[in-house]
Amino acid sequence: MKKKSISLAIIIILILGAGWPLLAQSASPPDEKLLQEAKLLIFDKNWTEAEKKLDDLLTGYPQSNYYSQALFYRGKCLAEQKGREREALKSFEAFLQRTDRPQSLVEEAEISMIDLAFSLYNGGQKEYGEVLVEKLSSPSKVIRYYAAMKMSYLRDKNLGAKALPVLKKLIQTEPDQELVDRAKIALLRISPEALRDIPEKTGKEEFRLVKIRVYEKGKKTASISINLPLALADLAIQAIPEEEKARIREKGYDLDRIISDLAKSKEKLVRIEEDGNIIEIWIE
């Protein structure tokens, strides 16, 4: 009899234990349930269905503790749907204006706004250039740097030039050499002359460097001075406009091949002269 009582007790415990998660789930507040369902749909990249869940939360539960998160995830859903970039940007803006926004999502929201504004601006909607410029003044250096790097890819180099102060300051103050190198490449994309007057950092280099010096006609001091890790040299070449590279090839110089040959050989220097201007390239 005692064994039967113990067995019955164990069965009851197991039944209750198995049923408890279901009871807990059914007891979840409806707004929380909507958010969790939306997250699962986002994980499956079912953007439209996730958006519906989030809209239900936003319209049905305006006082919800999950309202801010719903705005953020709605922005993510909209950003993935072609033609709805402006709506996505507004959703991220609304999220960032909330005082109860989770700090863990703020940086991602700002980066998403930069990407969206970049796409809209390059697509001809020039009013979104203001969003990019605004991010250059962000209190977060991560956001400032990201905005400046992104703007270096703009087809409108006049707007891209607004990123130059951020990039120059990065080069002068940032201890991360890889980040500095990428900022130099960003400067090259906007305007090669932007590297002028930026003092070189002193110190022992850890990697082989491609060094490029440009001397204007009649001048002994380099007007452009670039030091890049050899591994990033191809990015520097990519930063040169195609028409300029084609013009250089017409003169008998292939920049891609020059870098490749220098890396393989013991040559100290490649010197290119044109109309009195001199370009020197070597690897150390």
mmCIF file of all heavy atoms in Angstrom, residues 152-153 157 182 184-186 188-190 192 212 228 231-245 249 255-256 259:
data_model
loop_
_atom_site.group_PDB
_atom_site.id
_atom_site.type_symbol
_atom_site.label_atom_id
_atom_site.label_comp_id
_atom_site.label_asym_id
_atom_site.label_seq_id
_atom_site.Cartn_x
_atom_site.Cartn_y
_atom_site.Cartn_z
ATOM 1 N N SER A 152 31.892 57.720 -46.561
ATOM 2 C CA SER A 152 32.982 57.719 -47.544
ATOM 3 C C SER A 152 32.587 56.973 -48.817
ATOM 4 O O SER A 152 33.242 57.118 -49.847
ATOM 5 C CB SER A 152 34.245 57.100 -46.940
ATOM 6 O OG SER A 152 34.121 55.692 -46.801
ATOM 7 N N TYR A 153 31.524 56.171 -48.748
ATOM 8 C CA TYR A 153 31.048 55.432 -49.922
ATOM 9 C C TYR A 153 29.978 56.192 -50.708
ATOM 10 O O TYR A 153 29.503 55.701 -51.729
ATOM 11 C CB TYR A 153 30.463 54.081 -49.492
ATOM 12 C CG TYR A 153 31.487 53.087 -49.010
ATOM 13 C CD1 TYR A 153 31.743 52.930 -47.654
ATOM 14 C CD2 TYR A 153 32.197 52.289 -49.909
ATOM 15 C CE1 TYR A 153 32.678 52.010 -47.199
ATOM 16 C CE2 TYR A 153 33.132 51.368 -49.466
ATOM 17 C CZ TYR A 153 33.366 51.230 -48.109
ATOM 18 O OH TYR A 153 34.287 50.321 -47.662
ATOM 19 N N LYS A 157 30.283 63.267 -53.213
ATOM 20 C CA LYS A 157 31.502 63.511 -52.439
ATOM 21 C C LYS A 157 31.431 64.811 -51.636
ATOM 22 O O LYS A 157 32.168 64.981 -50.665
ATOM 23 C CB LYS A 157 32.724 63.532 -53.365
ATOM 24 C CG LYS A 157 32.981 62.195 -54.049
ATOM 25 C CD LYS A 157 33.054 61.046 -53.044
ATOM 26 C CE LYS A 157 33.221 59.693 -53.705
ATOM 27 N NZ LYS A 157 33.151 58.574 -52.728
ATOM 28 N N ARG A 182 41.873 51.889 -41.837
ATOM 29 C CA ARG A 182 40.586 51.916 -42.538
ATOM 30 C C ARG A 182 40.079 53.352 -42.690
ATOM 31 O O ARG A 182 39.441 53.693 -43.690
ATOM 32 C CB ARG A 182 39.565 51.045 -41.807
ATOM 33 C CG ARG A 182 39.939 49.570 -41.856
ATOM 34 C CD ARG A 182 38.839 48.656 -41.363
ATOM 35 N NE ARG A 182 39.260 47.272 -41.444
ATOM 36 C CZ ARG A 182 39.239 46.542 -42.548
ATOM 37 N NH1 ARG A 182 38.804 47.072 -43.678
ATOM 38 N NH2 ARG A 182 39.645 45.281 -42.546
ATOM 39 N N LYS A 184 42.040 55.914 -43.089
ATOM 40 C CA LYS A 184 42.843 56.480 -44.178
ATOM 41 C C LYS A 184 42.277 56.076 -45.534
ATOM 42 O O LYS A 184 42.226 56.886 -46.473
ATOM 43 C CB LYS A 184 44.301 56.022 -44.051
ATOM 44 C CG LYS A 184 45.057 56.683 -42.910
ATOM 45 C CD LYS A 184 46.509 56.245 -42.891
ATOM 46 C CE LYS A 184 47.286 56.962 -41.794
ATOM 47 N NZ LYS A 184 48.720 56.573 -41.777
ATOM 48 N N ILE A 185 41.846 54.833 -45.635
ATOM 49 C CA ILE A 185 41.244 54.371 -46.886
ATOM 50 C C ILE A 185 39.943 55.123 -47.150
ATOM 51 O O ILE A 185 39.639 55.493 -48.288
ATOM 52 C CB ILE A 185 41.010 52.851 -46.830
ATOM 53 C CG1 ILE A 185 42.355 52.123 -46.817
ATOM 54 C CG2 ILE A 185 40.180 52.378 -48.022
ATOM 55 C CD1 ILE A 185 42.257 50.656 -46.481
ATOM 56 N N ALA A 186 39.173 55.381 -46.082
ATOM 57 C CA ALA A 186 37.936 56.154 -46.230
ATOM 58 C C ALA A 186 38.250 57.562 -46.727
ATOM 59 O O ALA A 186 37.543 58.105 -47.587
ATOM 60 C CB ALA A 186 37.190 56.209 -44.898
ATOM 61 N N LEU A 188 40.777 58.384 -48.556
ATOM 62 C CA LEU A 188 41.142 58.251 -49.967
ATOM 63 C C LEU A 188 39.911 58.185 -50.857
ATOM 64 O O LEU A 188 39.910 58.716 -51.969
ATOM 65 C CB LEU A 188 41.990 56.989 -50.169
ATOM 66 C CG LEU A 188 43.449 57.056 -49.725
ATOM 67 C CD1 LEU A 188 44.079 55.675 -49.796
ATOM 68 C CD2 LEU A 188 44.229 58.036 -50.581
ATOM 69 N N ARG A 189 38.868 57.518 -50.369
ATOM 70 C CA ARG A 189 37.651 57.420 -51.171
ATOM 71 C C ARG A 189 37.001 58.785 -51.354
ATOM 72 O O ARG A 189 36.420 59.074 -52.397
ATOM 73 C CB ARG A 189 36.657 56.454 -50.507
ATOM 74 C CG ARG A 189 36.935 54.991 -50.779
ATOM 75 C CD ARG A 189 35.763 54.121 -50.364
ATOM 76 N NE ARG A 189 35.607 54.063 -48.928
ATOM 77 C CZ ARG A 189 36.108 53.106 -48.156
ATOM 78 N NH1 ARG A 189 36.824 52.131 -48.696
ATOM 79 N NH2 ARG A 189 35.915 53.109 -46.858
ATOM 80 N N ILE A 190 37.081 59.613 -50.322
ATOM 81 C CA ILE A 190 36.445 60.932 -50.397
ATOM 82 C C ILE A 190 37.326 61.919 -51.153
ATOM 83 O O ILE A 190 36.897 62.565 -52.107
ATOM 84 C CB ILE A 190 36.149 61.472 -48.981
ATOM 85 C CG1 ILE A 190 35.178 60.539 -48.254
ATOM 86 C CG2 ILE A 190 35.556 62.883 -49.059
ATOM 87 C CD1 ILE A 190 35.007 60.854 -46.782
ATOM 88 N N PRO A 192 41.767 62.219 -51.846
ATOM 89 C CA PRO A 192 43.152 61.883 -51.499
ATOM 90 C C PRO A 192 43.893 63.033 -50.821
ATOM 91 O O PRO A 192 44.748 62.811 -49.969
ATOM 92 C CB PRO A 192 43.780 61.548 -52.854
ATOM 93 C CG PRO A 192 42.636 61.122 -53.706
ATOM 94 C CD PRO A 192 41.476 61.971 -53.260
ATOM 95 N N ILE A 212 53.362 55.272 -49.665
ATOM 96 C CA ILE A 212 53.103 56.043 -50.885
ATOM 97 C C ILE A 212 53.330 57.519 -50.573
ATOM 98 O O ILE A 212 52.804 58.041 -49.586
ATOM 99 C CB ILE A 212 51.657 55.832 -51.389
ATOM 100 C CG1 ILE A 212 51.387 54.340 -51.634
ATOM 101 C CG2 ILE A 212 51.407 56.639 -52.662
ATOM 102 C CD1 ILE A 212 49.937 54.031 -51.963
ATOM 103 N N LEU A 228 50.275 52.072 -45.255
ATOM 104 C CA LEU A 228 49.233 51.071 -45.068
ATOM 105 C C LEU A 228 49.843 49.687 -44.924
ATOM 106 O O LEU A 228 50.822 49.376 -45.603
ATOM 107 C CB LEU A 228 48.278 51.049 -46.275
ATOM 108 C CG LEU A 228 47.333 52.228 -46.461
ATOM 109 C CD1 LEU A 228 46.583 52.069 -47.773
ATOM 110 C CD2 LEU A 228 46.346 52.311 -45.316
ATOM 111 N N ALA A 231 48.572 44.085 -46.269
ATOM 112 C CA ALA A 231 47.315 43.350 -46.417
ATOM 113 C C ALA A 231 46.158 44.253 -46.828
ATOM 114 O O ALA A 231 45.169 43.792 -47.389
ATOM 115 C CB ALA A 231 46.965 42.649 -45.109
ATOM 116 N N LEU A 232 46.288 45.565 -46.554
ATOM 117 C CA LEU A 232 45.206 46.492 -46.901
ATOM 118 C C LEU A 232 45.502 47.279 -48.172
ATOM 119 O O LEU A 232 44.720 48.134 -48.561
ATOM 120 C CB LEU A 232 44.974 47.477 -45.745
ATOM 121 C CG LEU A 232 44.440 46.880 -44.447
ATOM 122 C CD1 LEU A 232 44.298 47.970 -43.396
ATOM 123 C CD2 LEU A 232 43.106 46.192 -44.665
ATOM 124 N N ALA A 233 46.614 46.979 -48.809
ATOM 125 C CA ALA A 233 47.002 47.746 -49.992
ATOM 126 C C ALA A 233 45.972 47.633 -51.108
ATOM 127 O O ALA A 233 45.710 48.590 -51.837
ATOM 128 C CB ALA A 233 48.366 47.285 -50.498
ATOM 129 N N ASP A 234 45.369 46.445 -51.235
ATOM 130 C CA ASP A 234 44.375 46.279 -52.295
ATOM 131 C C ASP A 234 43.183 47.192 -52.075
ATOM 132 O O ASP A 234 42.575 47.696 -53.022
ATOM 133 C CB ASP A 234 43.919 44.824 -52.387
ATOM 134 C CG ASP A 234 43.292 44.331 -51.094
ATOM 135 O OD1 ASP A 234 43.721 44.790 -50.024
ATOM 136 O OD2 ASP A 234 42.377 43.492 -51.164
ATOM 137 N N LEU A 235 42.845 47.450 -50.800
ATOM 138 C CA LEU A 235 41.743 48.365 -50.509
ATOM 139 C C LEU A 235 42.111 49.793 -50.895
ATOM 140 O O LEU A 235 41.269 50.561 -51.355
ATOM 141 C CB LEU A 235 41.380 48.302 -49.025
ATOM 142 C CG LEU A 235 40.808 46.975 -48.531
ATOM 143 C CD1 LEU A 235 40.538 47.041 -47.035
ATOM 144 C CD2 LEU A 235 39.531 46.621 -49.276
ATOM 145 N N ALA A 236 43.372 50.137 -50.697
ATOM 146 C CA ALA A 236 43.823 51.473 -51.091
ATOM 147 C C ALA A 236 43.719 51.646 -52.602
ATOM 148 O O ALA A 236 43.305 52.700 -53.097
ATOM 149 C CB ALA A 236 45.263 51.692 -50.632
ATOM 150 N N ILE A 237 44.086 50.601 -53.338
ATOM 151 C CA ILE A 237 43.985 50.655 -54.795
ATOM 152 C C ILE A 237 42.525 50.797 -55.212
ATOM 153 O O ILE A 237 42.186 51.557 -56.124
ATOM 154 C CB ILE A 237 44.605 49.391 -55.432
ATOM 155 C CG1 ILE A 237 46.102 49.297 -55.091
ATOM 156 C CG2 ILE A 237 44.405 49.386 -56.933
ATOM 157 C CD1 ILE A 237 46.932 50.449 -55.582
ATOM 158 N N GLN A 238 41.637 50.078 -54.522
ATOM 159 C CA GLN A 238 40.214 50.163 -54.844
ATOM 160 C C GLN A 238 39.661 51.562 -54.610
ATOM 161 O O GLN A 238 38.689 51.971 -55.239
ATOM 162 C CB GLN A 238 39.422 49.160 -53.999
ATOM 163 C CG GLN A 238 39.683 47.705 -54.357
ATOM 164 C CD GLN A 238 38.993 46.754 -53.402
ATOM 165 O OE1 GLN A 238 37.992 47.097 -52.792
ATOM 166 N NE2 GLN A 238 39.540 45.556 -53.259
ATOM 167 N N ALA A 239 40.281 52.288 -53.694
ATOM 168 C CA ALA A 239 39.795 53.630 -53.374
ATOM 169 C C ALA A 239 40.081 54.633 -54.485
ATOM 170 O O ALA A 239 39.466 55.691 -54.546
ATOM 171 C CB ALA A 239 40.437 54.118 -52.070
ATOM 172 N N ILE A 240 41.006 54.298 -55.381
ATOM 173 C CA ILE A 240 41.335 55.197 -56.486
ATOM 174 C C ILE A 240 40.258 55.074 -57.558
ATOM 175 O O ILE A 240 39.897 53.972 -57.959
ATOM 176 C CB ILE A 240 42.716 54.839 -57.082
ATOM 177 C CG1 ILE A 240 43.795 54.977 -56.003
ATOM 178 C CG2 ILE A 240 43.036 55.726 -58.279
ATOM 179 C CD1 ILE A 240 45.158 54.508 -56.450
ATOM 180 N N PRO A 241 39.701 56.183 -58.040
ATOM 181 C CA PRO A 241 38.660 56.118 -59.071
ATOM 182 C C PRO A 241 39.135 55.350 -60.301
ATOM 183 O O PRO A 241 40.307 55.427 -60.684
ATOM 184 C CB PRO A 241 38.405 57.597 -59.405
ATOM 185 C CG PRO A 241 38.848 58.344 -58.189
ATOM 186 C CD PRO A 241 40.003 57.565 -57.629
ATOM 187 N N GLU A 242 38.218 54.625 -60.927
ATOM 188 C CA GLU A 242 38.566 53.792 -62.074
ATOM 189 C C GLU A 242 39.138 54.612 -63.220
ATOM 190 O O GLU A 242 40.073 54.184 -63.897
ATOM 191 C CB GLU A 242 37.328 53.016 -62.553
ATOM 192 C CG GLU A 242 36.980 51.816 -61.702
ATOM 193 C CD GLU A 242 38.104 50.790 -61.648
ATOM 194 O OE1 GLU A 242 38.794 50.594 -62.666
ATOM 195 O OE2 GLU A 242 38.305 50.203 -60.582
ATOM 196 N N GLU A 243 38.584 55.809 -63.440
ATOM 197 C CA GLU A 243 39.085 56.628 -64.547
ATOM 198 C C GLU A 243 40.534 57.055 -64.313
ATOM 199 O O GLU A 243 41.332 57.170 -65.245
ATOM 200 C CB GLU A 243 38.189 57.854 -64.771
ATOM 201 C CG GLU A 243 38.021 58.773 -63.573
ATOM 202 C CD GLU A 243 36.842 58.380 -62.693
ATOM 203 O OE1 GLU A 243 36.392 57.222 -62.778
ATOM 204 O OE2 GLU A 243 36.380 59.245 -61.922
ATOM 205 N N GLU A 244 40.874 57.268 -63.016
ATOM 206 C CA GLU A 244 42.247 57.643 -62.686
ATOM 207 C C GLU A 244 43.189 56.463 -62.893
ATOM 208 O O GLU A 244 44.298 56.616 -63.427
ATOM 209 C CB GLU A 244 42.315 58.133 -61.238
ATOM 210 C CG GLU A 244 43.680 58.658 -60.807
ATOM 211 C CD GLU A 244 44.102 59.909 -61.553
ATOM 212 O OE1 GLU A 244 43.229 60.594 -62.120
ATOM 213 O OE2 GLU A 244 45.315 60.189 -61.582
ATOM 214 N N LYS A 245 42.739 55.266 -62.487
ATOM 215 C CA LYS A 245 43.575 54.080 -62.693
ATOM 216 C C LYS A 245 43.765 53.801 -64.184
ATOM 217 O O LYS A 245 44.848 53.400 -64.617
ATOM 218 C CB LYS A 245 42.945 52.867 -61.990
ATOM 219 C CG LYS A 245 43.077 52.909 -60.480
ATOM 220 C CD LYS A 245 42.849 51.550 -59.847
ATOM 221 C CE LYS A 245 41.397 51.177 -59.821
ATOM 222 N NZ LYS A 245 41.167 49.926 -59.048
ATOM 223 N N ARG A 249 47.225 53.597 -66.237
ATOM 224 C CA ARG A 249 47.582 52.436 -67.070
ATOM 225 C C ARG A 249 47.984 52.869 -68.473
ATOM 226 O O ARG A 249 48.857 52.261 -69.098
ATOM 227 C CB ARG A 249 46.407 51.450 -67.125
ATOM 228 C CG ARG A 249 46.309 50.545 -65.903
ATOM 229 C CD ARG A 249 45.389 49.369 -66.156
ATOM 230 N NE ARG A 249 44.009 49.796 -66.323
ATOM 231 C CZ ARG A 249 43.128 49.897 -65.327
ATOM 232 N NH1 ARG A 249 43.504 49.586 -64.090
ATOM 233 N NH2 ARG A 249 41.895 50.283 -65.556
ATOM 234 N N LEU A 255 48.851 49.795 -61.222
ATOM 235 C CA LEU A 255 49.047 49.893 -59.776
ATOM 236 C C LEU A 255 48.886 48.545 -59.077
ATOM 237 O O LEU A 255 49.631 48.224 -58.150
ATOM 238 C CB LEU A 255 48.069 50.911 -59.188
ATOM 239 C CG LEU A 255 48.305 52.377 -59.582
ATOM 240 C CD1 LEU A 255 47.246 53.261 -58.951
ATOM 241 C CD2 LEU A 255 49.692 52.835 -59.152
ATOM 242 N N ASP A 256 47.907 47.757 -59.514
ATOM 243 C CA ASP A 256 47.709 46.442 -58.893
ATOM 244 C C ASP A 256 48.956 45.574 -59.055
ATOM 245 O O ASP A 256 49.391 44.895 -58.122
ATOM 246 C CB ASP A 256 46.499 45.741 -59.526
ATOM 247 C CG ASP A 256 45.210 46.504 -59.295
ATOM 248 O OD1 ASP A 256 44.681 46.415 -58.181
ATOM 249 O OD2 ASP A 256 44.753 47.193 -60.222
ATOM 250 N N ILE A 259 52.038 46.802 -56.819
ATOM 251 C CA ILE A 259 51.980 46.355 -55.428
ATOM 252 C C ILE A 259 52.338 44.878 -55.328
ATOM 253 O O ILE A 259 53.090 44.454 -54.446
ATOM 254 C CB ILE A 259 50.579 46.606 -54.835
ATOM 255 C CG1 ILE A 259 50.267 48.110 -54.803
ATOM 256 C CG2 ILE A 259 50.478 46.018 -53.435
ATOM 257 C CD1 ILE A 259 51.190 48.912 -53.934
#
